[in-house]
C-alpha cells in the first residue's frame, strides 16, 4: 500500500510538502528528483501563487499552464486539502506520521492554531524532521510579516544593493530570497535525515529566508557591524576590477537590444584588451578608473560594432571573463547548457510536452530524470488517500463530502 | 548533525561558502591553502582595524580549521592524500583542469578513495564547450540569464553590488554533496559532484529561464519590478525615508492583499468607503466581463503610492503587519545592523579571533533544534594561515620535528 517508489539515493524517503510558491517547493523538487516520494499538499481554495505567475505555456495564463509551478514541483504527487476543515486536519496528521520530512511555509503560528505545528506533530512522531520556512522566522517582533520573496529581498538587504547609486533600487529580478533559501534548507534537511538515520532523533528547522539569504551578504554585514562602511549599491562597479560592466553590442535582427558583460580582473588582462581599444596598455587599476569616461567610450564603441557572441568569444579566447547577457532563447540554444542536459522535456497530459530545468548539479554515479511533471490540481487525491492511507472508496466519498478536498 | 564527517576544503574565494554550510551543520572542515595563502585572502572588503585581513575570507572560513599545503610539491600532495584517508568529502573550485595537472582530479583519486565524495565548483561545469571559459560574478550572472532581467529599462542591466553567483553555486555544492552522501549510504561508493555556477545562477530567474522554450515572452527589466507583455510594474515605492517593496495587484493570488490595502486607505481617510465594496480578487474577471471599471485599480494604486510616500519604512512595516499587506521595507545595511527582529533571534554572534579581537558575524542561516536542543553556528574563528598545521599533520602521525622539517622545506 504505497505510491510507486522513486529510484535514487532518497528512495524510500517520504516527504509531505505543504510549502508554497518557490522557496519551499524547490526543496521538495530536489528531493523528488533523487527518489523521495513527495506529496505536495495544496489548498483547494487559495491558489498557489506559482500557478498564476508565468512563464506560461504558449504565453496563456492558467493554473495548469505555469512553467514556474511546473519547474518547482516536477516529480511530486498532488493532493488538495483544506486544512481549515477538521477532517482534512485528521488526514494531514496521518500523512505526517507517514512522512520522514514535513516542509511548510505558513505564516508563523497558523499551523499551531490547528495543532499541526512541530510541537504537536512531534508527539505523534518524535523522530519527525520538519522545516518551517518563513520570511523572517518563527519568533521575534516581526514574525507575522507575510509576503513573497520580493518582500524578503527588501528585508534581507538585497533589494537596496541592486541598482545605481543615483536612483531607487533597480533589482534584483523577482523574489530573490527564494533563490538562496532552498539551498540552505535542502542541505540541512539532508543532514537531519542522516542524523536521524544514525540516532533516531528528530529535527526541527526554523528557516528565516531572509537570514539564509543574508549569508550571501556576509562580507558587507561583517564590515558594517565591525566599524566599517555600510555597502551601498554601486551599479556594476567592482572594487577590484576595471573595466567591469555591461556594454552594448550590435543588435541582431528581431531584437531591441543586446549586451555583453566584461570583467577585467588584472593588469595583464587589461594589456590584452587595451590593444583592441588602442588604449594605454600600461595603465594600473587606479589609473584606469581615473580615465573611466574615455575607457568606457572606447569600449562601448568597440563592443557596439560587434555581436555579443563575437565579443564574448574574442575576450574569452584572450582569457578575459565575458559573456553575452543571455536571453532565454540564448539559454535554450546555449551549447554548454545543452552539454549538461540542463533542460528536460517531459510528456504532459495537457500540453503534450513540458520543459523543466534539470537538477543544479551533476552527480556522476546518480544521473536523474524527473519522474513526472508537476501534479495538476488534486491530480493524485484518490491515489494518495487509497494507496498511502488505505481509505476505502466510501471513506474517500465522505471526506470529499466534508469539504476537506475542495 | 554532521559530526561524523570530515571535509577537505580546497576551495578558493569561489567555493568557500560550501564547506562552511557543512561546518555549521557540524562537519569537521579543514580549509587547505597554498603556502602564500588563498587568493580569497585578497578579496575585498578588509577589516577597518586589520586592513591586512579580508572580511570576505573570514566570513566564509569561520567554523573551519586551516592548514597550508603546497600541492605542487610531491611531499605536499602526499600529505593531502594521507589526509584524504580520513575524509568523506573533498570540495574544490579551481580552474577546470588544474586538479588533473596536480594529479588530484576525481578520476585519479576514485580508485584509491572509493568512498570519497568529490565536489567541484566551476563557472560553467567540468566538461563542455565553455568548461574553460573564464568565470566571474558578472559573466556568470549574464550567462545564467538573471542579469538581463535586472535593472532600469533606460540603462544597462545591473547586478547586485555584493557578488552573488559563487554563493549560489556553493549552496548547490553543499546540497549536491549531501545527496551524494545519501547515495553512498546505499552503494558504499562516493562520486563526483559537478556544480556549474551558470546553472546555479539560472535559479535566480523564477523559472523565466524557461520562457522561450515554453513559448512565453521574456520578462523585461523595469525598476526593480518587471515589464511583461508591455505592462510595467515597478517593484518599489518611495516612502519618506527610503523605499518599500510594494507589489499590489488584483486577482486570485494577491487580490486579498489589495483588499486589505483598500481597508487601510479607507481607515486613514485616503479613499472613499464605497471602495470597500470592490472585491479585488474577482476584479480582473469583472473588468473582462465589462462589469467593473478598468480605471479603478490604477486609481487605487495612485492613492496607495501617495499614502505611503509620507510615511516611514518602519511605519509601513507596522501597518503591513496590522492590515496584512503585501509590502515590506527596503532595508539597507544600517537597518539590518539595528534590526530588532535579528536581535530578538540572536542573529549577530561575537567570535574571538586568534589575535584577540572580538568580531561580530551574521549568525546561523537556519535555527535548528535537534531532539529539541538548540544548535548554534560553529563558533570557531576563521583560521590564520596554517594555524592548525601542527594539530592536523600531527594527527597523521608526523612528529613535531618532521612537521618542522616539512615547513622549512616549503612543503607546508
Amino acid at each position: 500500500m504505497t505510491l510507486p517508489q522513486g529510484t535514487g539515493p532518497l528512495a524510500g524517503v517520504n516527504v509531505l510538502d505543504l510549502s508554497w510558491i518557490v522557496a519551499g517547493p524547490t526543496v521538495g523538487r530536489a528531493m523528488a528528483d533523487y527518489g523521495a516520494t513527495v506529496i505536495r499538499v495544496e489548498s483547494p481554495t487559495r491558489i498557489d501563487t506559482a500557478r498564476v505567475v508565468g512563464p506560461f505555456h504558449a504565453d496563456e495564463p492558467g493554473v495548469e499552464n505555469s512553467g514556474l509551478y511546473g519547474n518547482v514541483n516536477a516529480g511530486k504527487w498532488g493532493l488538495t486539502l483544506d486544512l481549515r476543515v477538521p477532517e482534512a486536519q485528521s488526514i494531514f496528521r496521518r500523512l505526517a506520521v507517514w512522512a520522514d520530512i514535513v516542509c511548510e511555509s505558513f505564516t508563523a503560528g497558523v499551523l499551531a492554531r490547528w495543532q499541526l505545528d512541530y510541537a504537536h506533530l512531534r508527539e505523534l512522531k518524535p523522530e519527525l524532521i520538519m522545516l518551517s520556512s518563513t520570511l523572517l522566522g518563527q519568533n521575534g517582533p516581526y514574525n507575522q510579516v507575510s509576503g513573497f520573496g520580493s518582500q524578503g529581498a527588501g528585508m534581507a538587504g538585497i533589494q537596496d544593493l541592486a541598482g545605481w547609486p543615483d536612483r531607487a533600487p533597480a533589482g534584483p529580478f523577482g523574489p530573490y530570497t527564494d533563490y538562496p533559501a532552498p539551498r540552505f534548507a535542502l542541505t540541512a534537511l539532508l543532514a537531519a535525515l542522516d542524523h536521524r538515520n544514525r540516532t533516531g532523533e528528530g529535527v526541527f528547522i526554523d528557516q528565516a529566508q531572509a537570514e539564509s539569504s543574508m549569508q550571501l551578504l556576509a562580507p558587507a554585514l561583517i564590515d558594517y557591524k565591525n566599524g566599517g562602511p555600510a555597502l551601498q549599491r554601486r551599479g556594476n562597479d567592482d572594487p577590484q576590477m576595471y573595466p567591469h560592466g555591461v556594454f552594448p553590442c550590435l543588435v541582431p535582427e528581431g531584437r531591441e537590444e543586446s549586451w555583453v558583460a566584461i570583467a577585467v580582473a588584472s593588469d595583464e588582462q587589461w594589456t590584452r584588451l587595451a590593444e583592441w581599444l588602442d588604449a594605454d596598455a600600461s595603465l594600473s587599476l587606479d589609473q584606469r578608473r581615473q580615465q573611466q569616461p574615455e575607457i568606457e567610450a572606447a569600449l562601448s564603441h568597440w563592443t557596439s560594432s560587434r555581436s555579443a557572441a563575437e565579443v564574448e568569444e574574442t575576450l574569452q579566447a584572450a582569457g578575459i571573463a565575458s559573456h553575452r547577457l543571455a536571453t532565454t532563447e540564448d539559454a535554450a540554444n546555449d551549447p554548454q547548457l545543452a552539454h549538461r542536459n540542463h533542460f528536460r522535456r517531459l510528456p504532459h497530459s495537457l500540453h503534450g510536452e513540458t520543459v523543466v530545468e534539470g537538477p543544479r548539479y551533476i552527480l556522476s554515479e546518480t544521473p536523474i530524470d524527473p519522474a513526472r511533471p508537476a501534479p495538476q490540481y488534486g491530480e493524485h487525491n484518490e491515489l494518495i488517500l487509497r494507496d498511502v492511507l488505505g481509505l476505502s472508496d466510501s471513506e474517500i466519498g465522505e471526506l470529499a463530502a466534508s469539504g476537506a478536498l475542495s | 548533525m554532521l559530526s561524523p564527517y570530515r571535509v577537505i576544503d580546497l576551495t578558493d574565494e569561489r567555493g568557500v561558502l560550501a564547506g562552511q554550510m557543512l561546518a555549521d551543520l557540524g562537519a569537521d572542515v579543514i580549509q587547505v591553502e597554498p603556502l602564500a595563502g588563498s587568493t580569497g585572502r585578497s578579496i575585498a572588503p578588509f577589516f577597518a582595524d586589520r586592513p591586512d585581513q579580508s572580511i570576505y575570507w573570514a566570513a566564509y572560513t569561520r567554523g573551519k580549521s586551516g592548514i597550508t599545503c603546497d600541492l605542487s610539491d610531491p611531499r605536499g600532495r602526499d600529505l593531502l592524500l594521507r589526509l584524504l584517508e580520513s575524509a568523506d568529502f573533498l570540495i574544490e573550485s579551481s580552474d577546470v583542469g588544474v586538479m588533473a595537472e596536480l594529479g588530484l582530479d576525481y578520476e585519479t583519486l576514485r580508485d584509491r578513495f572509493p568512498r570519497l565524495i568529490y565536489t567541484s565548483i566551476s563557472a560553467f561545469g567540468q566538461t563542455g564547450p565553455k568548461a574553460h571559459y573564464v568565470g566571474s560574478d558578472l559573466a556568470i550572472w549574464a550567462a545564467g540569464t538573471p542579469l538581463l532581467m535586472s535593472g532600469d529599462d533606460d540603462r544597462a542591466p545591473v547586478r547586485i553590488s555584493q557578488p552573488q553567483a559563487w554563493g549560489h553555486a556553493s549552496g548547490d555544492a553543499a546540497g549536491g554533496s549531501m545527496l551524494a552522501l545519501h547515495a553512498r549510504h546505499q552503494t558504499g561508493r562516493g562520486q563526483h559532484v559537478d556544480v556549474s555556477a551558470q546553472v546555479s545562477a539560472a535559479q535566480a530567474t523564477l523559472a523565466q529561464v524557461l520562457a522561450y522554450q515554453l513559448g512565453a515572452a521574456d520578462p523585461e527589466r523595469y525598476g526593480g519590478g518587471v515589464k511583461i507583455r508591455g505592462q510595467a510594474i515597478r517593484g518599489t515605492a518611495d516612502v519618506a525615508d527610503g523605499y518599500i517593496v510594494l507589489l499590489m495587484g488584483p486577482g486570485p493570488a494577491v487580490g486579498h492583499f489589495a483588499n486589505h490595502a483598500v481597508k487601510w486607505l479607507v481607515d486613514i481617510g485616503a479613499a472613499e468607503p464605497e471602495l470597500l465594496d470592490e472585491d479585488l480578487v474577482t476584479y480582473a474577471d469583472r473588468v473582462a466581463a465589462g462589469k467593473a471599471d478598468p480605471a479603478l485599480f490604477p486609481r487605487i494604486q495612485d492613492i496607495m503610492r501617495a499614502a505611503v510616500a509620507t510615511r516611514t519604512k518602519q511605519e509601513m512595516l507596522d501597518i503591513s503587519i496590522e492590515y496584512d499587506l503585501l509590502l515590506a521595507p527596503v532595508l539597507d545595511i544600517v537597518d539590518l545592523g539595528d534590526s530588532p527582529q535579528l536581535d530578538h533571534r540572536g542573529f549577530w554572534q561575537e567570535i574571538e579571533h586568534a589575535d584577540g579581537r572580538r568580531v561580530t558575524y551574521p549568525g546561523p542561516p537556519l535555527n535548528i533544534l535537534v531532539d529539541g536542543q538548540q544548535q548554534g553556528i560553529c563558533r570557531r574563528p576563521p583560521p590564520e594561515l596554517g594555524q592548525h598545521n601542527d594539530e592536523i599533520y600531527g594527527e597523521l602521525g608526523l612528529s613535531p620535528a618532521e612537521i618542522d622539517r616539512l615547513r622549512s622545506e616549503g612543503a607546508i
Side-chain angles (χ1 to χ4, degrees):
Chain A
M1 220 171 43
T2 180
L3 295 166
Q5 289 282 300
T7 55
L10 301 181
V13 175
N14 294 332
V15 180
L16 185 60
D17 183 0
L18 268 92
S19 63
W20 73 321
I21 317 186
V22 176
T26 300
V27 178
R29 159 76 202 274
M31 292 192 283
D33 277 352
Y34 286 91
T37 300
V38 182
I39 295 179
R40 172 67 206 275
V41 177
E42 285 184 85
S43 160
T45 53
R46 183 139 165 204
I47 296 172
D48 185 337
T49 304
R51 286 190 177 274
V52 294
V53 170
F56 297 107
H57 274 276
D59 234 355
E60 282 284 334
V63 294
E64 299 298 353
N65 296 354
S66 166
L68 172 62
Y69 184 85
N71 204 37
V72 296
N73 292 294
K76 301 179 189 177
W77 304 92
L79 171 68
T80 50
L81 273 186
D82 187 342
L83 288 173
R84 296 171 302 183
V85 177
E87 287 82 352
Q89 295 168 10
S90 156
I91 292 295
F92 175 79
R93 281 190 194 90
R94 293 175 63 182
L95 284 171
V97 172
W98 163 85
D100 299 283
I101 295 172
V102 173
C103 301
E104 65 93 9
S105 56
F106 285 94
T107 303
V110 170
L111 281 183
R113 288 208 291 274
W114 298 323
Q115 304 194 342
L116 298 175
D117 58 328
Y118 177 68
H120 286 90
L121 297 182
R122 191 177 176 219
E123 285 172 19
L124 300 177
K125 185 167 186 173
E127 72 274 29
L128 184 70
I129 297 165
M130 184 159 172
L131 168 71
S132 287
S133 185
T134 62
L135 289 182
L136 298 182
Q138 294 297 304
N139 57 7
Y142 296 106
N143 71 338
Q144 291 304 299
V145 171
S146 61
F148 305 135
S150 307
Q151 282 72 34
M155 290 186 291
I158 305 273
Q159 183 104 22
D160 182 67
L161 290 175
W164 306 97
D166 61 332
R167 284 189 177 179
F173 178 77
Y176 194 84
T177 48
D178 288 353
Y179 313 145
R183 274 82 179 230
F184 288 92
L186 175 67
T187 304
L189 285 173
L190 294 174
L193 189 61
D194 182 83
H195 179 84
R196 189 214 59 182
N197 289 346
R198 278 183 288 106
T199 65
E201 292 177 348
V203 176
F204 177 65
I205 301 171
D206 157 20
Q207 177 174 49
Q209 293 156 19
E211 291 172 6
S212 291
S213 301
M214 283 163 63
Q215 306 299 319
L216 272 60
L217 296 183
L221 295 171
I222 297 170
D223 198 5
Y224 174 68
K225 284 299 266 188
N226 294 282
L231 180 63
Q232 297 181 333
R233 55 185 172 275
R234 53 188 174 200
N236 287 321
D237 284 353
D238 187 278
Q240 293 175 302
M241 294 188 256
Y242 190 84
H244 187 276
V246 171
F247 298 91
C249 297
L250 204 60
V251 180
E253 224 180 275
R255 288 193 190 169
E256 288 172 16
E257 55 174 12
S258 182
W259 304 91
V260 71
I262 298 174
V264 175
S266 67
D267 291 345
E268 198 226 331
Q269 290 180 11
W270 166 249
T271 60
R272 279 171 259 156
L273 179 62
E275 222 172 282
W276 289 306
L277 305 184
D278 279 330
D280 182 350
S282 68
L283 297 177
S284 69
L285 177 66
D286 286 343
Q287 290 168 325
R288 299 198 293 275
R289 277 194 208 285
Q290 282 159 18
Q291 296 190 21
Q292 179 166 352
E294 296 83 0
I295 289 176
E296 281 182 17
L299 192 47
S300 296
H301 179 75
W302 185 75
T303 57
S304 294
S305 60
R306 289 164 174 78
S307 72
E310 184 189 343
V311 174
E312 168 192 314
E313 285 156 15
T314 304
L315 294 183
Q316 284 287 352
I320 298 169
S322 176
H323 203 282
R324 74 199 78 177
L325 270 65
T327 62
T328 75
E329 183 178 0
D330 292 332
N333 297 321
D334 185 328
Q336 183 65 22
L337 294 174
H339 174 82
R340 292 179 71 85
N341 189 22
H342 184 59
F343 299 111
R344 308 292 176 91
R345 297 191 170 273
L346 301 172
H348 193 283
S349 64
L350 295 178
H351 302 296
E353 187 179 72
T354 190
V355 58
V356 299
E357 290 182 272
R360 302 277 157 199
Y361 15 71
I362 295 175
L363 270 58
S364 61
E365 308 302 315
T366 319
I368 72 103
D369 262 317
R372 66 191 71 80
Q376 292 161 40
Y377 235 121
E379 182 177 345
H380 305 112
N381 281 6
E382 274 194 45
L383 193 67
I384 291 165
L385 296 169
R386 197 185 60 222
D387 290 358
V388 176
L389 297 182
L391 266 59
S392 66
D393 286 350
S394 66
E395 286 169 319
I396 293 173
E398 284 166 28
L399 192 63
S402 75
L405 306 178
S406 57
Chain B
M1 293 189 287
L2 295 180
S3 56
Y5 303 109
R6 171 171 272 188
V7 181
I8 299 299
D9 193 338
L10 301 178
T11 60
D12 53 22
E13 65 275 14
R14 294 173 282 191
V16 66
L17 168 62
Q20 182 178 62
M21 288 171 68
L22 302 181
D24 277 342
L25 295 168
D28 168 22
V29 182
I30 302 172
Q31 187 83 41
V32 182
E33 296 180 67
L35 304 192
S38 170
T39 50
R41 290 187 183 269
S42 58
I43 302 295
F46 298 90
F47 282 101
D49 57 350
R50 274 293 298 273
D52 60 318
Q53 266 192 11
S54 161
I55 293 176
Y56 183 94
W57 190 248
Y60 298 124
T61 54
R62 172 197 51 73
K64 305 178 186 179
S65 54
I67 61 173
T68 51
C69 186
D70 183 359
L71 297 178
S72 65
D73 182 314
R75 287 163 302 182
R77 278 200 299 278
D78 181 57
L79 286 172
L80 183 78
L81 294 174
R82 288 171 65 184
L83 260 182
L84 287 176
E85 301 285 354
S86 66
D88 300 282
F89 301 91
L90 179 156
I91 312 178
E92 62 91 13
S93 60
S94 51
D95 288 344
V96 173
V98 168
M99 296 305 282
E101 283 167 24
L102 294 169
L104 295 171
D105 55 319
Y106 171 70
E107 295 303 325
T108 307
L109 296 185
R110 62 183 293 183
D111 289 338
R112 180 162 171 187
F113 305 105
R115 289 174 58 78
L116 182 68
I117 293 157
Y118 187 118
T119 300
S120 295
I121 301 164
S122 61
F124 290 89
Q126 294 297 303
T127 61
K130 295 181 182 173
H132 291 277
Y133 260 27
V134 183
S136 80
D137 179 67
L138 194 68
I140 294 164
W141 218 237
T145 71
L147 186 52
L148 188 58
M149 301 174 191
S150 316
D152 289 324
D153 57 350
D154 62 343
R155 285 191 187 172
V158 66
R159 72 167 177 170
I160 296 162
S161 295
Q162 177 67 46
Q164 298 285 300
W166 295 112
H168 289 271
S170 294
D172 284 333
S177 299
M178 287 306 301
L179 285 164
L181 178 66
H182 283 279
R184 191 177 83 174
H185 291 326
Q186 271 184 351
T187 66
R189 295 188 63 82
Q191 56 181 312
H192 194 191
V193 179
D194 172 7
V195 176
S196 149
Q198 177 191 26
V199 166
S200 298
Q203 172 134 334
T205 69
L206 202 59
Q208 288 290 345
V209 67
L210 300 171
Y212 176 79
Q213 295 177 79
L214 291 169
D218 275 22
E220 296 172 63
R221 66 186 182 282
Y222 186 80
V226 65
K227 191 157 63 175
I228 194 149
R229 287 179 225 98
Q231 198 191 354
I233 306 164
R234 207 186 135 191
T236 58
D238 301 333
V239 295
D241 58 347
Y243 309 95
I244 57 170
V245 179
L246 174 63
L247 287 172
M248 200 163 83
V254 294
H256 58 286
F257 290 111
N259 284 339
H260 302 166
V262 169
K263 168 97 171 53
W264 174 61
L265 293 170
V266 170
D267 283 356
I268 61 170
E272 64 276 19
E274 291 71 33
L275 284 183
L276 292 172
D277 300 334
E278 284 289 339
D279 181 6
L280 294 169
V281 174
T282 59
Y283 171 79
D285 289 341
R286 288 184 290 116
V287 168
K291 291 175 181 163
D293 175 8
L296 178 71
F297 188 72
R299 186 164 72 82
I300 293 173
Q301 275 185 310
D302 290 343
I303 298 170
M304 183 72 180
R305 284 191 180 274
V308 303
T310 59
R311 289 169 168 81
T312 64
K313 290 187 275 192
Q314 182 63 47
E315 285 174 286
M316 288 317 304
L317 177 58
D318 294 337
I319 290 164
S320 176
I321 293 170
E322 187 186 344
Y323 282 84
D324 193 15
L325 306 182
L326 197 53
L327 65 80
V330 174
L331 302 180
D332 59 26
I333 295 286
V334 175
D335 295 328
L336 291 175
D338 300 335
S339 158
Q341 176 70 12
L342 293 176
D343 282 346
H344 182 94
R345 285 174 59 83
F347 186 65
W348 303 108
Q349 311 263 332
E350 213 176 68
I351 293 176
E352 188 174 331
H353 276 212
D355 62 5
R357 289 150 60 237
R358 299 190 70 80
V359 176
T360 302
Y361 282 81
L366 303 159
N367 185 15
I368 299 175
L369 299 174
V370 176
D371 202 28
Q373 298 299 308
Q374 181 96 29
Q375 313 289 299
I377 57 167
C378 183
R379 301 178 61 83
R380 198 188 255 271
E384 305 259 311
L385 189 58
Q387 187 181 338
H388 302 99
N389 281 359
D390 289 349
E391 177 188 329
I392 288 164
Y393 288 126
E395 232 183 72
L396 295 178
L398 270 64
S399 67
E402 285 172 298
I403 294 171
D404 279 344
R405 186 170 52 77
L406 286 166
R407 189 178 283 130
S408 63
E409 289 172 5
I412 64 173

